[in-house]
Each structure stands twice: as C-alpha cells, then as structure tokens.
Amino acid sequence: MTLRSTISAKPQVWATALAIAVAVALLAYVFGRGGYVVTVMGFAVIYGVFVTGLNLFMGYAGQASFGQNAFAALGGYGTAVLCADYGLEPIVALVLSATLSAVIALIVGYPTLRLRGHYLAMATFALGLITYELSIEQSGLTRGFMGFSGIPPLGLGRFQLLSERAQLAVFILIMLLGVWVARRLRGSRFGRALLAIGESEPAANALGIQVFRYKLVAFVIAAVYASVAGSMFAHFVGYISPEVFGLSMVTLSFTMLYVGGIGTLWGPIAGAVLVSFLPQLLRGFRDMQDIIYCLALIVILIFVPKGLASLWSLAVRRSDVPAER
Amino acid sequence: MTLLSVSNLTKSFGGIVANDSVSFDLNEGDIYAVIGPNGAGKTTLFNLISGVLRPTSGSVQYAGRDITGLAQADIAALGVVRTYQLVQLFRQRTVEENVQIGFHLATRGGVGAALFRPGWVRRQERMVREKSRELLRLVGLESQAGLVADKLPYGQQRLLKIARAMAAGPKLLMLDEPAAGLDTQETSVLGDVIQRINDQGITIVLIEHDMNLVMRMATRITVLDFGKKIAEGTPVEVKVNPAVLAAYLGEAELE
Ligand SMILES: Nc1ncnc2c1ncn2[C@@H]1O[C@H](COP(=O)(O)OP(=O)(O)O)[C@@H](O)[C@H]1O
Ligand SMILES: [Mg+2]
C-alpha cells in the first residue's frame, strides 16, 4: 500500500521470525535431547490444546470457567474405558468422548451461562468438583481413586506410536490444528461476536448479537478442546486418576493463560510451554524450588502484565497493526 | 413520503407518564429533532420506537407497516438503528474492529462458516472490510483504523459509535444526544458527519440539547415536556413558540 506500511511491516516480520526461531530451537533441543524433556514437552502441548480452547471462552468471550477440568476428565476416562475395556480405535474413542463432552457442556451450560460473574464461576467450579467425585465413586467404570492403567498409546489400526517422541510429534500437529481452528474462529463473524461479548454485553446485545447463544457455543467448543486434551493425556501417560484432572489443572491452566497472554492466539501456547518447563529449569534450587517458581511467575506478571504475547506486540507497536497475537 | 408515523404513543411507569399520547410523522430524508428538558421523555420515546420498551398504548408505523411491540432485533433488521446514550464502544478493540462488529446484523454465518470459509463467506468478509473502511472515511476516522478505540479522543469516540451503528445498514438512524459532552469544534464535526449521512439518503431522528446544532440541522422539531408534545414545527417556528419558551425557562437558552 503506502510507503509507511511497507516500512512498518518490518518489525512484525522480525518479531515473527524470532518467535519461529525460538520455537524451532526449542523443538530441536527437545527432540534431540529426548528423555524427560520430551515428557515435559508432551504435557506442555497437551495443556496447549486445553488452554487454547479455554482461551476462546475466557479470553475472547470474557467468561470465567473454573470447571474445565471436568471435560478433560471426560475425555481422559472416555478414552481409557473405550480403548482399554472396549478395544476401540483411539481416534474413535477421542471423537466419541469429545462428542459426549460437547453434549454435557450444552446441558450444563444452558442453565448456568445465564448467570453472571461469580455465579458462573461457582457453577462451573461445582461442575469440576462433581466430576471429580464421580470419577472416584463410579469405580466400576473408572477404577476409582486407584486410577486407570493400561491405556494404549495413540495409534491407528495396527500402527501404534510406541515412542514418546512419535506421540509428541503427533500431539504438536493436533495442537497446531487447534490453534488453526482458533485462528479461523477469531477472524470471523463468530469470533468478532465473542470479542464483543467479552468487552461489553449490553453493547453486543444492542448490535444484535445473541449473547447467550454465543457464550454457550464458546463453552461447548472449549469443552471439546478440554476433552481432546484429556484423551491425549490418557494415551501419553497410559494411566489416569481422579487427581490428574483435579483442581490443580484449573490453577495451572489459569497461570498459563495469564502468563502467556489471555485473549491472544499464541500466548496460551507460550504460557503452557513456559509454565511446564519452569519447574524443570528451577530444579537446581532444590528446597527453594517452589518459592522461586512462584516468584518467577509473579515477576513475569509484574513486568509483562499482559503476558508473553505482549512482548510480540511490543516489538510491532509502532506499525499500527492491532495487537492480537 | 412518510417513513415513520407515531400515533398517540403512551408509556407509563407506575405513576409517571413518561410519554403521554405523543404523535408525529417524519418524512424520508428528514433530519428530525426531538428536544425538551431533562426527564421530558425523549429517551423513552426512542425506546418505544426501537422496541426496547413496549408502549402502554398507541402505535408506531414504519415504512407502512405496524412495528408496535416488535422485538428490538426485528425492528433493527427492518433498518431502524439507534445509538444509545449509555452503550459503550468496545474499548480494547481497534477502531476498525468496532465497525466490523457492527456488521453483525447485516451479515450471517456461524462456526461452520468460520472454519470452512466457503466462497460466500470470503466475499462477505471482503465486503465487511471494504465497507468498514468506507464508513470510517465517512466519519473521518480512516487514519485511526488500527488504533485501540480507547485511545481515541472523546469526540472521535462519538463518531465511531455512529460509524458502528451505520454498519447495521440503517434506513432510519436514531441518535440519542450525540453531542453531549463535546466541545464546539467536535460538535461542528459531528454536525458535518450527520449531514453527510443524511446526504446518503438516510433519515435521521436526533435527540439533542445543543440548540445550535438542532437549529442548524433539523428539518423539523418536536418538543416534549413532561411526556407531552407541546410543539412541533420548523426550527424557526419552534424558536418563537411561547409554550416552548416557557418550558425552557431556567433550562438551556433557545438561540
Ligand atoms: N425504565 C424506566 N422505569 C421507570 N421510569 C423510567 C424509565 N425510563 C424512564 N423513566 C422515567 O420517565 C421519565 C422520562 O425519562 P427519559 O425518557 O429518560 O427522559 P429524557 O431522555 O427526556 O431525559 C423520567 O421521569 C424517568 O425517570
Ligand atoms: Mg435521555
């Protein structure tokens, strides 16, 4: 277009190139090194899927869900039961569990999403607790608090992804698909409606956006992401228990969202990776590790309050492009 | 040609009669002003016309059809679009995005359309982008398109609200106190924008306290006081109407 926009496109290109370089270097290190680093990266990617979905509901539509772990549990147990007990194909089990999660999200969301603010937070929180209880009580199905082991790795037909490296590679593809979907949604009429709701429900309503309906759809989509993440977890570790999908999942995912940059496309992924690797980086501190971990998070939130993704927009600030990565 | 016809419109809230048998007609192409002291019932009148409130009695005819008591969204879909005194911009979104969100009612498509982007969706998105730019040009904000709306000065935020309302494709645009809180310079820019919109053939109803603006722009004026219409006419007629002068005594001065 104009000379000015050609010049100002430069920092954007550089920032994107830098971000890609960091990602490639990290992956090269992870796949080269192998061992526990691959395991940590696997968890990071699983959480990346989880928070990308949650971000649609919390970051874009501006709603709070403290019960997203319920849908991860549904995905995890769905995959465990269907694959280990019924011998279904992993992809079939994943799709069936995600469908069930979507239906339950619809049923649970219908009455609760009319609630506002902390009522919604409490209702979703209760959902997480109830699922947790159920996964202990329904021990015929879930093996109770002892957990469910012997879940096969991800695979297709007779072909199984036996190494963690191979699983990680497929997980990264799944995550990229998840980000691609989020990106398509973001840049559409649907996504704009979510953003509008996130900022001002009365204004969105006045422009003809059916606020409740859009919230419900966002909640269902987030539930599908959570469910898929749960299924991935079950395959990756081969073992799940009620604890795995407990409250810590909620706090961890919130940390990732805010550290990475809520409401941005890649921020949640960056947050998932950083928050997953941070404890490993701090292992040298031994007893002090937990304290330093918390301090590190606080320092990040003080100096980059809008999350890691805001570093990217900082680099391109002068170029007049909307800050959206 | 009559575009909007309000007959004996009445609305009571408990004991308060906010609109008391108000009637007037406005023609296509008008810039029609509704004035009156605070609490006279102007915003209530807008709420009744646009379907936010149901009238206690009376009727609203728009383009030859009875729209009394229709839902807000249905009335908006017919081309009656309003800005609200209290409804905010999307402050953290860019200027351009604010306008794009305004196209919601004028476009269609949900999750499936977003994911698979068939041809009609791509064409629609292109249309949204182009028309957003056009509307920003119309209100003089095209060079601020990428700016976060919050960063705009107050007067330009008001213009952005109007551009956002225009995105819904109004035939009748209702503006509730668009100049409130603006300085003379900003008000004059606003007046030009309203004139440009009107030049495109869009009929305008305007609630306004700024008498300079009203007298300069309005083709006709209705004056409300305590829910009743006390006068109607051209600016020149209204200015010298004794009932109007009495109602405004101690209020704003009529120019
Ligand atoms: N939703 C409502 N409920 C109760 N009273 C209302 C409501 N809306 C307006 N009123 C009353 O109706 C009268 C007219 O208000 P309004 O239409 O806002 O006046 P204006 O816009 O001319 O200043 C006021 O006395 C106001 O208190
Ligand atoms: Mg008012």
Side-chain angles (χ1 to χ4, degrees):
Chain A
M1 279 187 293
T2 60
L3 184 63
R4 187 156 163 267
S5 64
T6 350
I7 293 170
S8 59
K10 273 244 164 105
Q12 191 178 352
V13 171
W14 282 113
T16 309
L18 184 67
I20 291 174
V22 169
V24 168
L26 179 68
L27 288 178
Y29 170 73
V30 167
F31 280 99
R33 174 88 191 268
Y36 82 92
V37 195
V38 173
T39 312
V40 175
M41 192 65 184
F43 290 140
V45 171
I46 291 167
Y47 264 101
V49 171
F50 185 83
V51 293
T52 297
L54 187 56
N55 186 44
L56 288 170
F57 186 65
M58 284 183 66
Y60 293 174
Q63 308 301 307
S65 171
F66 290 79
Q68 223 54 22
N69 56 333
F71 301 111
L74 270 168
Y77 278 106
T79 281
V81 171
L82 293 176
C83 289
D85 289 351
Y86 292 89
L88 254 58
E89 277 291 312
I91 179 73
V92 177
L94 180 143
V95 170
L96 284 179
S97 311
T99 310
L100 180 66
S101 291
V103 170
I104 290 182
L106 207 60
I107 294 169
V108 172
Y110 197 81
T112 50
L113 289 177
R114 294 188 192 275
L115 306 174
R116 275 164 194 274
H118 56 278
Y119 292 108
L120 175 61
M122 273 157 60
T124 50
F125 187 65
L127 173 66
L129 292 183
I130 291 166
T131 312
Y132 178 77
E133 288 301 326
L134 280 179
S135 60
I136 294 176
E137 298 295 324
Q138 297 296 311
S139 53
L141 206 58
T142 66
R143 318 277 203 273
F145 66 88
M146 294 296 289
F148 198 124
S149 53
I151 307 161
L154 205 56
L156 192 64
R158 258 179 301 160
F159 179 73
Q160 281 197 329
L161 298 171
L162 289 174
S163 78
E164 281 203 326
R165 273 197 182 86
Q167 285 214 67
L168 176 59
V170 173
F171 281 9
I172 291 172
L173 291 180
I174 295 175
M175 184 190 79
L176 290 177
L177 178 68
V179 173
W180 178 82
V181 167
R183 188 186 144 92
R184 280 249 153 149
L185 292 178
R186 166 69 181 79
S188 72
R189 177 177 183 265
F190 174 79
R192 285 193 295 270
L194 290 190
L195 290 169
I197 291 167
E199 280 216 30
S200 167
E201 285 187 28
N205 194 43
L207 295 178
I209 294 167
Q210 292 164 304
V211 172
F212 170 69
R213 229 180 94 187
Y214 277 86
K215 277 193 209 171
L216 187 60
V217 174
F219 187 60
V220 169
I221 295 174
V224 169
Y225 273 83
S227 178
V228 170
S231 295
M232 290 161 74
F233 187 97
H235 288 301
F236 193 58
V237 184
Y239 165 84
I240 53 173
S241 70
E243 272 336 305
V244 166
F245 305 112
L247 204 54
S248 65
M249 196 167 192
V250 177
T251 49
L252 208 54
S253 58
F254 280 22
T255 311
M256 290 165 176
L257 274 185
Y258 282 96
V259 164
I262 190 164
T264 63
L265 189 65
W266 290 100
I269 303 288
V273 171
L274 184 77
V275 172
S276 302
F277 273 97
L278 206 52
Q280 308 303 322
L281 296 175
L282 300 175
R283 278 208 302 192
F285 291 102
R286 298 210 167 80
D287 294 351
M288 300 288 285
Q289 189 191 321
D290 287 348
I291 297 172
I292 308 256
Y293 173 77
C294 293
L295 280 179
L297 292 181
I298 291 169
V299 167
I300 292 173
L301 287 176
I302 288 173
F303 287 100
V304 260
K306 291 191 170 168
L308 298 173
S310 63
L311 295 175
W312 190 91
S313 38
L314 203 68
V316 298
R317 191 161 55 178
R318 305 212 178 284
S319 64
D320 266 5
V321 295
E324 68 170 50
R325 248 108 265 245
Chain B
M1 200 191 99
T2 308
L3 184 64
L4 186 80
S5 175
V6 171
S7 338
N8 301 316
L9 213 53
T10 300
K11 177 73 186 177
S12 32
F13 299 108
I16 304 167
V17 185
N19 275 193
D20 190 353
S21 199
V22 176
S23 304
F24 63 90
D25 288 346
L26 62 90
N27 292 325
E28 230 174 296
D30 270 351
I31 297 182
Y32 198 99
V34 178
I35 65 170
N38 271 324
K42 306 180 296 294
T43 299
T44 302
L45 178 63
F46 266 30
N47 284 337
L48 294 176
I49 295 171
S50 61
V52 175
L53 295 173
R54 283 167 166 276
T56 310
S57 63
S59 73
V60 183
Q61 310 279 326
Y62 167 76
R65 86 177 254 203
D66 190 356
I67 60 163
T68 323
L70 285 190
Q72 209 180 335
D74 296 331
I75 293 177
L78 290 173
V80 181
V81 175
R82 64 178 285 198
T83 61
Y84 295 78
Q85 246 174 319
L86 299 175
V87 167
Q88 289 309 312
L89 287 171
F90 303 110
R91 305 167 71 93
Q92 299 308 317
R93 314 265 48 111
T94 65
V95 167
E96 184 167 28
E97 269 180 318
N98 266 274
V99 181
Q100 290 181 348
I101 293 169
F103 278 96
H104 190 83
L105 270 183
T107 49
R108 60 201 178 91
V111 172
L115 287 186
F116 302 111
R117 273 191 204 167
W120 66 266
V121 171
R122 286 198 301 273
R123 277 191 297 280
Q124 178 176 279
E125 282 296 308
R126 202 177 320 124
M127 181 279 285
V128 166
R129 278 194 302 275
E130 283 166 8
K131 285 204 172 169
S132 297
R133 288 286 169 163
E134 251 170 59
L135 287 175
L136 288 177
R137 215 170 301 132
L138 178 75
V139 300
L141 290 177
E142 71 271 41
S143 59
Q144 278 97 319
L147 210 63
V148 172
D150 210 19
K151 295 258 153 57
L152 286 182
Y154 197 61
Q156 296 193 339
Q157 293 195 9
R158 202 58 61 77
L159 296 176
L160 180 54
K161 271 195 191 181
I162 293 176
R164 191 178 67 177
M166 284 290 291
K171 292 193 189 68
L172 176 65
L173 182 64
M174 307 174 72
L175 305 171
D176 193 346
E177 299 197 25
L182 302 190
D183 63 27
T184 350
Q185 162 71 30
E186 290 170 330
T187 303
S188 140
V189 173
L190 175 79
D192 295 344
V193 167
I194 293 175
Q195 192 60 61
R196 276 205 291 274
I197 290 172
N198 185 240
D199 290 345
Q200 295 191 349
I202 293 163
T203 310
I204 288 168
V205 202
L206 176 74
I207 295 176
E208 192 43 69
H209 280 301
D210 186 312
M211 283 307 143
N212 278 324
L213 187 69
V214 170
M215 294 301 161
R216 185 182 113 200
M217 308 211 60
T219 43
R220 283 185 82 72
I221 300 174
T222 272
V223 188
L224 291 185
D225 193 22
F226 292 112
K228 283 199 172 73
K229 183 169 107 176
I230 58 167
E232 184 184 358
T234 62
V236 180
E237 287 163 4
V238 163
K239 222 181 334 191
V240 296
N241 186 311
V244 178
L245 293 173
Y248 269 89
L249 220 59
E251 273 267 348
E253 203 172 298
L254 278 185
E255 184 63 12

